[in-house]
Amino acid sequence: MAVKDAGQAASSQSRGARGRASRSAAAVADRPPEQAELVQLLTPEGERVKHPDYPLDITAAEVKGLYRDLVIVRRIDFEAIALQRQGELGIWASLLGQEAAQVGSGRALGPRDMAFPTYREHGVAWCRGLDPMKLLELFRGVSHGGWDPTEHNFHLYTIVIGSQTLHATGYAMGIQRDGAVGEDGEAVIVYFGDGATSQGDVNEAFIYASVNNAPVVFFCQNNQWAISEPLERQSRVPLYQRASGFGFPGVRVDGNDVFACLAVTRKAMQAAREGQGPTLIEAYTYRMGAHTTTDDPTRYRLSAELEAWKLKDPIERVKQYLIRTEQVEMSFFDEVDAEAAEVGGQVRAACQTMPDPLPESMFDDVYTSRTAQNAAERAEFDAYLDSFVGEEAAR
Amino acid sequence: MAVKDAGQAASSQSRGARGRASRSAAAVADRPPEQAELVQLLTPEGERVKHPDYPLDITAAEVKGLYRDLVIVRRIDFEAIALQRQGELGIWASLLGQEAAQVGSGRALGPRDMAFPTYREHGVAWCRGLDPMKLLELFRGVSHGGWDPTEHNFHLYTIVIGSQTLHATGYAMGIQRDGAVGEDGEAVIVYFGDGATSQGDVNEAFIYASVNNAPVVFFCQNNQWAISEPLERQSRVPLYQRASGFGFPGVRVDGNDVFACLAVTRKAMQAAREGQGPTLIEAYTYRMGAHTTTDDPTRYRLSAELEAWKLKDPIERVKQYLIRTEQVEMSFFDEVDAEAAEVGGQVRAACQTMPDPLPESMFDDVYTSRTAQNAAERAEFDAYLDSFVGEEAAR
Amino acid sequence: MTTLTLSKALNEGLRKALENDPKVLIMGEDVGKLGGVFRVTDGLQKDFGEARVVDTPLAESGIVGTAIGLALRGYRPICEIQFDGFVFPAFDQIVCQLAKMRYRSLGKLSLPVVIRIPFGGGIGAVEHHSESPEALFAHTPGLRVVSCGDPADAFAMIQQSVNSDDPVIFFEPKRRYWDKAEVDVAEGLAAALPLDRARVLVPGSDVTVLTYGPMVRTCAEAAVAAAQDGRSLEVIDLRSLAPLDTATIVESVRKTGRCVVVHEAVVTGGLGAEIAARITQECFYQLEAPVLRVGAYTTPYPPSRLEEHYLPDLDRVLDAVDRTFGY
Amino acid sequence: MTTLTLSKALNEGLRKALENDPKVLIMGEDVGKLGGVFRVTDGLQKDFGEARVVDTPLAESGIVGTAIGLALRGYRPICEIQFDGFVFPAFDQIVCQLAKMRYRSLGKLSLPVVIRIPFGGGIGAVEHHSESPEALFAHTPGLRVVSCGDPADAFAMIQQSVNSDDPVIFFEPKRRYWDKAEVDVAEGLAAALPLDRARVLVPGSDVTVLTYGPMVRTCAEAAVAAAQDGRSLEVIDLRSLAPLDTATIVESVRKTGRCVVVHEAVVTGGLGAEIAARITQECFYQLEAPVLRVGAYTTPYPPSRLEEHYLPDLDRVLDAVDRTFGY
Ligand SMILES: Cc1ncc(C[n+]2csc(CCOP(=O)(O)OP(=O)(O)O)c2C)c(N)n1
Ligand SMILES: Cc1ncc(C[n+]2csc(CCOP(=O)(O)OP(=O)(O)O)c2C)c(N)n1
Ligand SMILES: [Mg+2]
Ligand SMILES: [Mg+2]
């Protein structure tokens, strides 16, 4: 069929050679080759490697702490998936595979820094000190979030893709106006996915951040997939390069390497705090699970890909490193597992006994104070509910 | 006042050193220096210069043609401003200073190429063969455009900043599906301003164009101002560099040099037609007049800036080149002036006698066929109008 | 006749549209291999190729904006917006460009673009996945806004929408995707009710109940329940929300003298307001009671554990019917 | 008392807000040196600095999105959208984020953001510069939507909006920017009518005329004209479009028994629909005639040479008043 063929031609063009080399006046020719440097400090085999720009002095206690975080957040995630299967949660967005990106970046934050998550940053939430139950409330349908973002400097989850990047940028502009940039400054980190980079809002955030030189770090977890769409549907060049077009630095880090994520985020946050403006970090990682518990990835991706990434597991390499460097007793791993199991058990128990919100609560918090209309509707609702009480009693 | 100071600190940071050099892993360090190459083929003094990537063989007749275009579009613009002052037009957006960018790019198009303008592309409209009256209809308030875009492959003016970049990209995706890419292919050019580069839509267009490798040329007339806002409010790096972040070439051209605009656009269009995908062209120019006839630029910019740009006038340099190279008799300039005056006179006369649309016409073309509601509202309107006829007769 | 879910009926309708006209395209997030999160486009990319069933970047303004460009080039794109709550990034392209291009061009340009939006709640979803924004589009001249209430209409109306040279915002009642009914897939569109016409679903004499989308089934059930109480409801599925089929509505209300409008959207400023205002104007002397509106309360959509209280249901419809007899 | 144009009254109100609270910011396109295309922010950047009166990039979603972030950090941003037709790129941030953040956070977060929008037609402008999109916001719970009709209200209401901890969409009647009236600039807000209250502008007894924004003056003039014909109009300036001050409205209509709602927006699905539906429900037994709506026809905004026919004017208001006596 003619049109179909034309279409195929169109799509093969987009994969074919683009003849860029012959266009020397074009800016693109000056870009670095696409095999971009991936900052890595710990290999999948657990070997420590050095990087000139990211020296990382890390104590055994710190490494153990990171390992503990990684194991616990994976366990919480695991429990949540099980709870969803049992009908206790409406849905769950798993972080499986992204633990290092989240724990590494989350542990790079100071208490006064502010974090803006998407809907998948359970590991960051953990690092910030948020009670995991708050996350479960959301996925259970008991609240839309409802925690106090100022308590742990961890904003509410944002579901509309990309929106929070502008909120984070505005917040960072507020830090500037508060005079809180400079020595002992504050900064913001905002999380988003590879798919999110296509949204207008995210690109506008890059613009507002760069023209204002705002203290915000854009942390993109490139987990290779936006639901069923591979990265090629969003970009034909590595995502960290996007930043250069807006005039600020971009860096790609091994997102399964908790050391590298920690070091790269620390440096970018410190630069932001000191007034050096935004950085885009692309954490190159992989979504090991389904997009959410309602998704079926077997429809769109090959298991071979998954298998390849399993070899790069973010937790295993820290374990190997600890073993290799003899920084721990073997019992340490069992202790962490036991602790994780306990946290998991608490999560499970608390979720199963979580009460539903009161029906009338749906009328609360629409405005600062209750409006006449809101009060009238609520009264109408109460009366309506009451009308059943008699009926039920009569039965 | 503390907050004010903090704010000032914030804004001075954005101008100060950003310590980029010390962040070597960052992509930005690999970018070319900011004194970007500006493609120029004709100096302000009218001297022809060569550029290795843009050889331009141009006959005397062609140069004369370009000169004629430049003078005539400036004259139409001049008439329109006068007509607005006389109350014949509601508003006018002047192209003064941008003639070369528009004529150079406009003359680079083939008849089958499609152009998507903003609201200021009167010079491109001229090159495409659109009757200037159509533009005046819009600015007079007689229509919202209303010409047939397929007649001259020149789309309607678009007023919402940036929207048309997506339309152009979609159109280019249609060209791909029609199999009209390749030898003897078609391509699209879309115009937008420096301010427009901040809109989400424009950045989304870059994404759609690049992942599809669509045959579209993004032609940004950087006239240094978005109404009262200088370029620094939109970007801290040259705009042509934006493209590299999306993985396609960007090039900066002297927007007051009609030869360079012609050559650079020709090459980009040809690349697009052949399947090499999008290019961003930044035509570096200057808005010599007010943003529109209702604007007062003395409120926000210094006349010195204007004076400096006057020396780079896009028409004068072609005239000097023609004189210098002795390609024309001096009478040629008088002939062109006379022709321009005649076109101007026609425009003036036609505008002054342009009838208002019929009141009932406002009900037309909402849907393909008239809906019952539309018919009812129209009938109601007719009856209402009729009710005055009696009254007026009675007076 | 085949028994199809509403989702599958849409799928079959889309398949016909793709078969009938090579210019028809489907575009959206995850519409390809995945077949959309509700599987409405299941299998279509496999059969029609990646150039006709297009997984787009994650950017809704881009989806609609490029669809407009494709339409200008002669294509007939069908855009999928993944959930109701994610149409807003595309709002500007829809209301300023899609809706106005014909008018702007004095009729020289047509934009035969369909925007499919799964809408409404009741599926236990998280925030932004249960919205009912149809009134925002119905207030925008130049758009056709429709919603299907059952598989047969889903099958026919999606094809009619694709055939329309006007842009169509096509609202799909997501909680009814799994409802089944008989659909005549072989049948052409000749016998189908025109896209802009309401349908008297249940004839009746005491009260007119006007509804659309997910509430069609609810109201049909209400009619059955009311009949047991000896009350005869005339249930009308509006189908076209803009323009409204005022003739059918008015005819019914003139007959019954009572009217209840039911939708999931927030009552305040919802489509029910327009319908009530218009009916009151046209049937002032026939109305025995004011037109009552049943819909969501004037709050954001609550967490899903509360949605059964928030959304109208059979009881609230019957309650309103009762109240119309209180005047 | 000083004689001020509505534009200058807003300017003075904004100045007070900036003076009273260092957290108040103004942000938008061209609000700095230029003072906005309508000069509403004239001189404010000069006096309060670039950190408090901010020329933003040309991106409305960015304006509102970063304003939300600034509000989360404790600031009180006032965003200017340059024209009504350019608010749509920010629509997503407004309806999904700004309107819902308090609800989402169970009251823990406030977003005291004001979005100023010059709206309406009648100034001979090109496309997208004469829109009346207020109904789209009034259908969105969580937003306050207000409009001022004269300089005194402009001065007070803009300050009240800045003081509100709820987000406020503030519609400014652009064709009345140059209307002059006495304003007491020295006076504080204590004596001002609360932001959510309607005002009986012209007391009367025969017909209630409800309106807001640019049509306030038109309706006041209609009252004068009607008085000459011996008809007494009660003109109410709604001021708050969401939530509506139903008490004031209902009290008036119960008294007059007749009502006309006037706005520039398209009648179909406009705010008048909600008002008419609600009045009919509350005043069913008192209404002598259906609530009539006067507004724009159901078409896109036409070229400006036609706008006098498209927009409601004094004659069309009087015509509707006449018609309410035809029942
Ligand atoms: C504006 C918007 N459009 C669509 C969606 C539906 N949606 C939810 S997640 C998702 C994919 C996100 O991909 P990515 O940004 O890579 O993040 P990831 O889920 O992989 O972490 C989509 C399309 C949404 N939430 N918001
Ligand atoms: C979405 C949108 N926002 C705001 C405006 C108002 N506006 C019209 S022109 C303009 C400046 C445009 O600047 P630029 O893109 O540089 O183009 P130029 O006018 O300089 O050619 C603005 C803000 C608009 N038309 N559309
Ligand atoms: Mg992803
Ligand atoms: Mg400009």
Side-chain angles (χ1 to χ4, degrees):
Chain A
M1 192 168 45
V3 169
K4 205 162 164 185
D5 290 343
Q8 279 161 350
S11 71
S12 68
Q13 279 154 23
S14 70
R15 284 182 229 110
R18 288 177 210 116
R20 279 197 220 136
S22 68
R23 306 167 78 185
S24 64
V28 75
D30 302 301
R31 278 194 295 104
E34 298 204 2
Q35 318 80 296
E37 185 185 8
L38 183 76
V39 178
Q40 191 183 66
L41 301 180
L42 187 64
T43 69
E45 294 73 32
E47 236 172 302
R48 184 77 171 79
V49 284
K50 300 222 151 170
H51 190 290
D53 300 312
Y54 300 100
L56 181 72
D57 273 334
I58 191 162
T59 65
E62 285 173 304
V63 178
K64 284 163 68 180
L66 291 172
Y67 180 80
R68 178 178 164 270
D69 289 336
L70 293 168
V71 170
I72 292 179
V73 302
R74 180 170 290 184
R75 183 57 187 242
I76 295 172
D77 191 72
F78 178 85
E79 288 297 341
I81 295 171
L83 285 163
Q84 196 278 339
R85 297 245 163 82
Q86 294 153 25
E88 295 289 338
L89 298 180
I91 195 173
W92 181 254
S94 165
L95 61 47
L96 193 69
Q98 302 177 217
E99 297 88 351
Q102 297 193 12
V103 168
S105 60
R107 286 298 176 203
L109 310 180
R112 288 159 60 234
D113 295 322
M114 182 74 196
F116 285 82
T118 70
Y119 42 79
R120 204 189 286 287
E121 270 68 70
H122 323 314
V124 184
W126 170 259
C127 295
R128 299 306 281 167
L130 188 81
D131 182 345
M133 287 328 293
K134 290 288 164 194
L135 306 178
L136 271 68
E137 279 180 15
L138 189 160
F139 288 99
R140 188 178 165 92
V142 163
S143 82
H144 288 322
W147 60 85
D148 184 349
T150 63
E151 206 173 315
H152 302 283
N153 272 5
F154 184 71
H155 189 66
L156 298 175
Y157 273 12
T158 298
I159 289 173
V160 181
I161 299 289
S163 302
Q164 76 281 4
T165 57
L166 283 168
H167 307 163
T169 303
Y171 192 97
M173 290 162 62
I175 291 179
Q176 293 180 297
R177 280 169 178 71
D178 288 347
V181 180
E183 241 183 292
D184 193 34
E186 298 171 34
V188 179
I189 188 166
V190 58
Y191 292 86
F192 54 102
D194 44 300
T197 60
S198 294
Q199 280 289 358
D201 270 12
V202 175
N203 293 281
E204 292 189 9
F206 293 161
I207 289 166
Y208 278 76
S210 69
V211 300
N212 290 296
N213 207 39
V216 55
V217 171
F218 294 100
F219 195 92
C220 176
Q221 287 172 79
N222 174 2
N223 64 6
Q224 313 299 325
W225 293 92
I227 310 186
S228 73
E229 298 198 15
L231 184 66
E232 303 87 80
R233 296 310 306 156
Q234 319 290 344
S235 181
R236 70 187 199 188
V237 287
L239 289 175
Y240 78 93
Q241 294 182 8
R242 179 77 56 85
S244 75
F246 295 93
F248 62 93
V251 53
R252 178 182 270 191
V253 61
D254 181 344
N256 285 16
D257 171 354
V258 72
F259 291 180
C261 289
L262 178 68
V264 168
T265 309
R266 255 190 200 158
K267 187 165 178 176
M269 289 296 285
Q270 189 54 25
R273 287 186 206 108
E274 287 172 1
Q276 291 174 46
T279 301
L280 169 62
I281 298 174
E282 177 192 2
Y284 199 77
T285 180
Y286 194 77
R287 197 194 76 208
M288 296 297 288
H291 169 69
T292 64
T293 44
T294 60
D295 179 41
D296 173 11
T298 63
R299 294 178 69 99
Y300 54 80
R301 68 184 190 187
L302 298 172
S303 57
E305 193 180 275
L306 197 69
E307 294 308 316
W309 277 91
K310 268 192 192 152
L311 304 175
K312 306 182 191 170
D313 186 70
I315 301 187
E316 192 55 29
R317 67 176 80 179
V318 181
K319 185 170 188 176
Q320 290 311 320
Y321 171 75
L322 283 169
I323 294 171
R324 196 187 283 257
T325 56
E326 299 179 359
Q327 301 195 25
V328 290
E329 309 283 306
M330 285 310 278
S331 63
F332 167 73
F333 299 112
D334 295 335
E335 283 159 31
V336 171
D337 284 346
E339 189 186 352
E342 193 175 317
V343 173
Q346 285 162 5
V347 163
R348 191 167 55 245
C351 182
Q352 284 162 345
T353 57
M354 194 185 287
D356 277 357
L358 290 177
E360 309 82 49
S361 71
M362 72 181 164
F363 292 100
D364 296 343
D365 301 317
V366 183
Y367 297 98
T368 311
S369 55
R370 202 174 286 288
T371 64
Q373 180 179 7
N374 184 285
E377 289 188 10
R378 195 189 146 141
E380 191 188 293
F381 175 74
D382 285 343
Y384 175 70
L385 278 195
D386 284 347
S387 73
F388 289 94
V389 175
E391 256 178 55
E392 265 155 39
R395 273 188 207 142
Chain B
M1 192 169 41
V3 169
K4 203 163 163 184
D5 290 344
Q8 280 163 351
S11 72
S12 69
Q13 276 153 21
S14 71
R15 282 183 230 109
R18 288 176 211 117
R20 280 198 220 133
S22 66
R23 306 166 78 183
S24 66
V28 75
D30 302 302
R31 277 195 296 103
E34 299 204 2
Q35 318 80 296
E37 186 186 8
L38 183 77
V39 178
Q40 191 183 68
L41 302 180
L42 187 64
T43 70
E45 295 72 32
E47 237 173 302
R48 187 76 171 76
V49 284
K50 299 223 153 169
H51 191 290
D53 300 311
Y54 300 99
L56 181 73
D57 273 333
I58 191 162
T59 65
E62 284 174 305
V63 179
K64 285 162 70 180
L66 292 172
Y67 179 80
R68 178 178 164 269
D69 288 336
L70 292 168
V71 171
I72 291 178
V73 301
R74 180 170 289 185
R75 181 57 186 244
I76 294 172
D77 192 72
F78 179 85
E79 288 297 342
I81 295 171
L83 285 164
Q84 197 280 337
R85 298 244 163 82
Q86 294 153 24
E88 295 289 336
L89 298 181
I91 195 173
W92 180 255
S94 167
L95 61 48
L96 194 67
Q98 301 176 220
E99 296 88 351
Q102 297 194 12
V103 168
S105 61
R107 287 298 176 203
L109 310 179
R112 288 158 62 233
D113 295 323
M114 184 72 195
F116 285 82
T118 70
Y119 42 83
R120 205 189 285 287
E121 270 67 70
H122 323 314
V124 184
W126 170 259
C127 295
R128 299 306 282 168
L130 188 80
D131 183 344
M133 286 329 294
K134 289 289 165 192
L135 306 178
L136 270 68
E137 278 180 16
L138 189 159
F139 288 100
R140 188 178 166 92
V142 163
S143 83
H144 288 323
W147 61 85
D148 183 348
T150 62
E151 204 172 317
H152 302 284
N153 273 5
F154 184 71
H155 190 66
L156 297 176
Y157 273 12
T158 298
I159 289 173
V160 181
I161 299 290
S163 302
Q164 76 282 2
T165 58
L166 283 167
H167 307 163
T169 303
Y171 193 95
M173 290 161 64
I175 291 178
Q176 293 179 299
R177 281 167 178 72
D178 288 346
V181 180
E183 239 183 292
D184 193 35
E186 298 171 33
V188 179
I189 188 166
V190 58
Y191 293 87
F192 55 102
D194 43 301
T197 60
S198 293
Q199 281 288 357
D201 271 12
V202 175
N203 294 280
E204 291 189 10
F206 293 161
I207 289 166
Y208 277 76
S210 68
V211 300
N212 290 294
N213 206 40
V216 54
V217 172
F218 294 101
F219 195 92
C220 176
Q221 287 172 78
N222 173 2
N223 63 7
Q224 313 298 326
W225 293 91
I227 309 188
S228 74
E229 298 198 15
L231 184 66
E232 302 88 79
R233 296 311 307 155
Q234 319 290 343
S235 181
R236 72 188 199 187
V237 287
L239 290 175
Y240 78 93
Q241 294 181 10
R242 180 76 56 85
S244 74
F246 295 92
F248 61 94
V251 53
R252 178 182 270 190
V253 60
D254 181 344
N256 285 15
D257 172 352
V258 71
F259 291 180
C261 290
L262 178 68
V264 168
T265 310
R266 256 191 200 155
K267 188 166 179 177
M269 290 295 286
Q270 190 54 25
R273 286 186 208 109
E274 287 172 3
Q276 292 175 45
T279 301
L280 169 62
I281 299 173
E282 177 192 0
Y284 198 78
T285 178
Y286 193 76
R287 195 194 78 206
M288 296 297 288
H291 170 69
T292 64
T293 43
T294 60
D295 178 41
D296 172 11
T298 63
R299 294 177 71 98
Y300 54 81
R301 69 183 190 187
L302 298 172
S303 57
E305 193 180 276
L306 197 70
E307 293 309 315
W309 278 91
K310 268 193 191 151
L311 304 175
K312 306 182 190 170
D313 185 71
I315 301 187
E316 192 56 28
R317 67 176 80 178
V318 182
K319 186 169 186 177
Q320 290 311 319
Y321 171 76
L322 282 170
I323 294 171
R324 199 187 280 258
T325 55
E326 299 180 358
Q327 301 194 28
V328 290
E329 310 282 306
M330 284 310 279
S331 64
F332 168 73
F333 300 111
D334 296 334
E335 283 159 31
V336 171
D337 285 346
E339 189 187 352
E342 192 177 316
V343 173
Q346 285 161 5
V347 163
R348 192 167 54 245
C351 181
Q352 284 163 344
T353 57
M354 194 186 286
D356 277 357
L358 290 177
E360 308 82 50
S361 71
M362 72 181 164
F363 292 100
D364 296 343
D365 301 316
V366 183
Y367 296 98
T368 310
S369 55
R370 202 174 286 288
T371 65
Q373 181 179 7
N374 184 285
E377 289 189 8
R378 195 190 147 141
E380 191 187 293
F381 175 74
D382 285 343
Y384 175 71
L385 277 195
D386 284 348
S387 73
F388 289 95
V389 176
E391 257 178 53
E392 265 155 37
R395 270 183 208 144
Chain C
M1 294 290 244
T2 332
T3 306
L4 295 181
T5 62
L6 193 146
S7 159
K8 183 68 182 162
L10 287 166
N11 180 273
E12 291 292 340
L14 291 169
R15 176 175 293 276
K16 290 255 186 228
L18 286 163
E19 275 167 8
N20 291 344
D21 184 350
K23 294 292 186 183
V24 171
L25 308 175
I26 290 177
M27 46 200 291
E29 296 154 11
D30 307 293
V31 297
K33 275 197 187 144
L34 184 63
V37 292
F38 293 107
R39 308 292 182 266
V40 172
T41 57
D42 191 25
L44 298 178
Q45 188 182 66
K46 190 165 145 281
D47 295 342
F48 296 92
E50 293 190 16
R52 295 194 61 201
V53 181
V54 186
D55 273 333
T56 66
L58 206 177
E60 288 79 7
S61 191
I63 295 173
V64 176
T66 56
I68 289 172
L70 281 156
L72 290 171
R73 179 75 188 185
Y75 287 85
R76 306 184 80 88
I78 308 166
C79 304
E80 173 172 307
I81 299 294
Q82 199 161 80
F83 281 90
D84 35 58
F86 308 137
V87 69
F88 302 114
F91 203 70
D92 175 53
Q93 285 286 350
I94 295 174
V95 306
C96 293
Q97 303 301 327
L98 189 59
K100 291 185 201 279
M101 197 73 84
R102 171 180 298 280
Y103 199 71
R104 185 179 302 152
S105 71
L106 296 174
K108 295 184 186 72
L109 297 176
S110 290
L111 292 180
V113 175
V114 179
I115 301 190
R116 294 182 36 240
I117 309 179
F119 84 127
I123 63 161
V126 294
E127 207 186 350
H128 311 291
H129 291 71
S130 308
E131 306 287 324
S132 297
E134 62 275 14
L136 307 180
F137 299 97
H139 184 46
T140 305
L143 300 177
R144 290 186 181 273
V145 185
V146 305
S147 184
C148 54
D150 61 37
D153 262 357
F155 176 70
M157 287 173 72
I158 189 65
Q159 293 181 71
Q160 292 172 317
S161 298
V162 175
N163 292 343
S164 164
D165 278 338
D166 295 319
V168 178
I169 314 295
F170 191 93
F171 282 102
E172 303 175 359
K174 73 166 85 79
R175 65 155 125 168
R176 305 301 182 204
Y177 272 142
W178 304 277
D179 281 13
K180 283 186 184 162
E182 296 285 282
V183 179
D184 191 344
V185 177
E187 172 78 16
L189 294 176
L193 195 64
L195 189 60
D196 59 359
R197 289 281 301 284
R199 183 199 302 282
V200 179
L201 196 72
V202 181
S205 53
D206 295 340
V207 184
T208 300
V209 177
L210 301 172
T211 191
Y212 54 91
M215 287 290 110
V216 169
R217 189 176 108 185
T218 307
C219 292
E221 289 166 2
V224 174
Q228 289 167 355
D229 294 347
R231 245 175 215 158
S232 164
L233 308 193
E234 175 146 303
V235 180
I236 295 182
D237 179 356
L238 293 173
R239 299 169 82 257
S240 177
L241 314 184
L244 284 166
D245 179 1
T246 314
T248 302
I249 296 170
V250 166
E251 189 187 318
S252 174
V253 179
R254 290 217 170 120
K255 178 179 73 179
T256 60
R258 289 186 166 79
C259 181
V260 174
V261 191
V262 183
H263 53 53
E264 282 196 13
V266 166
V267 165
T268 304
L271 201 71
E274 174 60 30
I275 297 170
R278 206 181 290 191
I279 289 175
T280 311
Q281 207 170 322
E282 304 280 325
C283 314
F284 189 66
Y285 295 114
Q286 290 85 17
L287 278 177
E288 308 280 348
V291 177
L292 295 186
R293 296 176 286 162
V294 179
Y297 299 104
T298 312
T299 78
Y301 202 94
S304 63
R305 295 260 161 176
L306 294 175
E307 68 184 346
E308 58 166 325
H309 296 290
Y310 182 71
L311 291 171
D313 61 7
L314 191 143
D315 285 328
R316 277 178 51 204
V317 174
L318 291 177
D319 177 65
V321 165
D322 282 350
R323 283 188 284 123
T324 64
F325 284 93
Y327 284 82
Chain D
M1 295 289 244
T2 332
T3 307
L4 295 181
T5 60
L6 194 147
S7 158
K8 184 66 181 164
L10 288 166
N11 180 272
E12 292 291 340
L14 291 169
R15 177 176 292 277
K16 290 254 187 230
L18 286 162
E19 275 167 9
N20 291 344
D21 184 349
K23 294 292 186 185
V24 171
L25 308 174
I26 290 177
M27 47 200 291
E29 296 154 10
D30 307 293
V31 297
K33 275 196 187 146
L34 184 63
V37 292
F38 293 108
R39 306 294 182 267
V40 172
T41 57
D42 191 26
L44 299 177
Q45 188 181 65
K46 191 166 146 280
D47 294 344
F48 296 91
E50 292 189 16
R52 295 194 62 201
V53 181
V54 186
D55 274 331
T56 65
L58 206 176
E60 289 78 8
S61 192
I63 295 173
V64 176
T66 56
I68 290 172
L70 280 155
L72 291 171
R73 178 77 189 184
Y75 287 85
R76 306 185 79 87
I78 308 166
C79 303
E80 173 173 307
I81 299 293
Q82 200 162 78
F83 282 89
D84 33 59
F86 308 138
V87 70
F88 302 114
F91 203 70
D92 175 55
Q93 285 286 350
I94 295 173
V95 307
C96 293
Q97 304 300 329
L98 189 60
K100 291 185 202 278
M101 198 72 84
R102 171 180 298 280
Y103 199 70
R104 187 179 301 151
S105 70
L106 296 174
K108 294 183 186 74
L109 297 176
S110 289
L111 293 180
V113 175
V114 179
I115 301 191
R116 296 181 36 239
I117 309 179
F119 84 126
I123 63 161
V126 293
E127 208 186 351
H128 311 290
H129 290 71
S130 308
E131 306 287 324
S132 296
E134 62 275 15
L136 307 180
F137 300 97
H139 185 46
T140 305
L143 301 177
R144 289 185 182 274
V145 185
V146 305
S147 183
C148 54
D150 60 38
D153 263 357
F155 176 70
M157 288 173 72
I158 189 68
Q159 293 180 72
Q160 292 171 317
S161 297
V162 174
N163 292 343
S164 165
D165 279 337
D166 295 318
V168 178
I169 314 295
F170 191 93
F171 281 101
E172 304 175 357
K174 75 165 85 79
R175 66 155 125 167
R176 306 299 182 206
Y177 272 142
W178 303 278
D179 279 12
K180 284 186 183 162
E182 296 285 283
V183 180
D184 191 345
V185 177
E187 170 79 13
L189 294 176
L193 195 64
L195 190 59
D196 58 359
R197 289 281 300 285
R199 183 199 303 281
V200 179
L201 196 73
V202 181
S205 53
D206 296 339
V207 185
T208 301
V209 177
L210 301 172
T211 191
Y212 54 91
M215 286 290 109
V216 170
R217 188 176 110 186
T218 307
C219 291
E221 289 167 359
V224 174
Q228 289 167 356
D229 293 347
R231 244 174 217 159
S232 166
L233 309 194
E234 175 147 302
V235 180
I236 296 182
D237 179 355
L238 293 172
R239 299 171 79 258
S240 177
L241 314 185
L244 284 166
D245 179 0
T246 315
T248 302
I249 296 170
V250 165
E251 188 186 320
S252 175
V253 179
R254 289 215 172 122
K255 178 178 73 178
T256 60
R258 288 186 167 80
C259 181
V260 174
V261 191
V262 183
H263 54 52
E264 282 195 14
V266 166
V267 165
T268 304
L271 200 71
E274 174 59 30
I275 297 170
R278 203 179 291 190
I279 289 175
T280 309
Q281 208 170 319
E282 303 282 325
C283 314
F284 189 67
Y285 295 114
Q286 290 84 18
L287 277 178
E288 308 281 348
V291 177
L292 295 186
R293 296 176 285 162
V294 180
Y297 298 104
T298 313
T299 76
Y301 202 92
S304 63
R305 295 261 161 175
L306 295 175
E307 68 184 345
E308 59 166 324
H309 296 291
Y310 181 72
L311 291 171
D313 60 8
L314 190 144
D315 284 328
R316 277 178 52 204
V317 174
L318 292 176
D319 177 64
V321 165
D322 283 349
R323 281 187 286 123
T324 65
F325 285 92
Y327 285 82

